[in-house]
Amino acid sequence: GFDFPVGDADANGPYVGTDGRRHEGWYVATRFGESYALGTHTGEDWNGRGGGDSDLGQPVRAIGAGKVVAAAVTEDPWGGVVVVEHFFYENQQRRRVVSLYAHLSRIDVRSGSLVKRREVLGAIGKDPQGRYPAHLHLEVRRDRELPATYWPSSHHRDLAWIRAHYEAPTDFISSRRQL
């Protein structure tokens, strides 16, 4: 099964922000397939409800069990990135996806590590230049061969191409929950 990468398994629950105050829950600020300044968004940007940088340093968890296939600090605007490969069965067929977690301020796993669902991979951070408030950029890719920092809009890929190679994270997780 799969769970959400922030807060509790349902992306709820409190956290104590960088401002020292208690905040409740999480939300998606930029959605999958949304068009914005950097092109077409390939994942979801998760933010704490406290706003601003209140969620900086909060734990980021694996959406499901798998193997870490990349864990490194990369170029701008990605920063700290972890990629986890997941195998699962659906309709009696073995499937594979990879989840990507970007803008991490801390990476707690190494490439080759096996992780459990909800295991801490690192912490929410910002892009290396600090242009955007702290958040988690989460992708679920069908195509494992794409480089970790691949951005389809930079390669003139349209929304149809993105939908063929990526999953909408919330839809993917919500339809594959095991409680």
Side-chain angles (χ1 to χ4, degrees):
F2 292 87
D3 289 324
F4 290 96
V6 291
D8 63 18
D10 297 316
N12 292 313
Y15 69 95
V16 175
T18 54
D19 56 6
R21 295 179 24 216
R22 180 183 162 105
H23 302 284
E24 276 296 325
W26 300 82
Y27 70 100
V28 176
T30 308
R31 300 193 173 284
F32 175 79
E34 190 174 314
S35 198
Y36 74 128
L38 297 176
T40 303
H41 205 251
T42 54
E44 294 174 343
D45 287 345
W46 282 87
N47 293 76
R49 292 211 178 269
D53 289 338
S54 69
D55 52 3
L56 184 67
Q58 294 300 311
V60 171
R61 300 174 186 280
I63 63 170
K67 181 178 182 180
V68 177
V69 294
V73 175
T74 65
E75 74 262 8
D76 189 50
W78 296 89
V81 172
V82 171
V83 180
V84 178
E85 182 176 44
H86 310 276
F87 287 96
F88 62 100
Y89 284 90
E90 187 170 75
N91 300 324
Q92 300 177 349
Q93 292 194 8
R94 188 174 190 227
R95 289 198 51 205
R96 175 182 65 183
V97 294
V98 293
S99 55
L100 178 138
Y101 312 80
H103 310 313
L104 302 179
S105 63
R106 186 184 79 238
I107 296 174
D108 295 344
V109 294
R110 292 186 177 156
S111 190
S113 302
L114 297 178
V115 295
K116 297 176 182 170
R117 180 176 67 182
R118 303 277 307 145
E119 186 171 330
V120 174
L121 303 173
I124 289 179
K126 300 174 78 158
D127 64 287
Q129 298 296 317
R131 292 173 296 231
Y132 312 109
H135 67 280
L136 169 66
H137 175 79
L138 171 69
E139 294 180 358
V140 177
R141 298 175 172 186
R142 293 184 193 117
D143 189 343
R144 185 190 184 280
E145 304 308 314
L146 294 174
T149 59
Y150 185 81
W151 192 250
S153 293
S154 298
H155 297 10
H156 310 292
R157 304 292 191 181
D158 63 9
L159 183 56
W161 187 93
I162 291 168
R163 288 187 190 282
H165 291 83
Y166 294 75
E167 298 271 357
T170 291
D171 294 346
F172 177 85
I173 293 166
S174 295
S175 67
R176 292 164 180 87
R177 301 288 307 274
Q178 271 186 314
L179 304 176

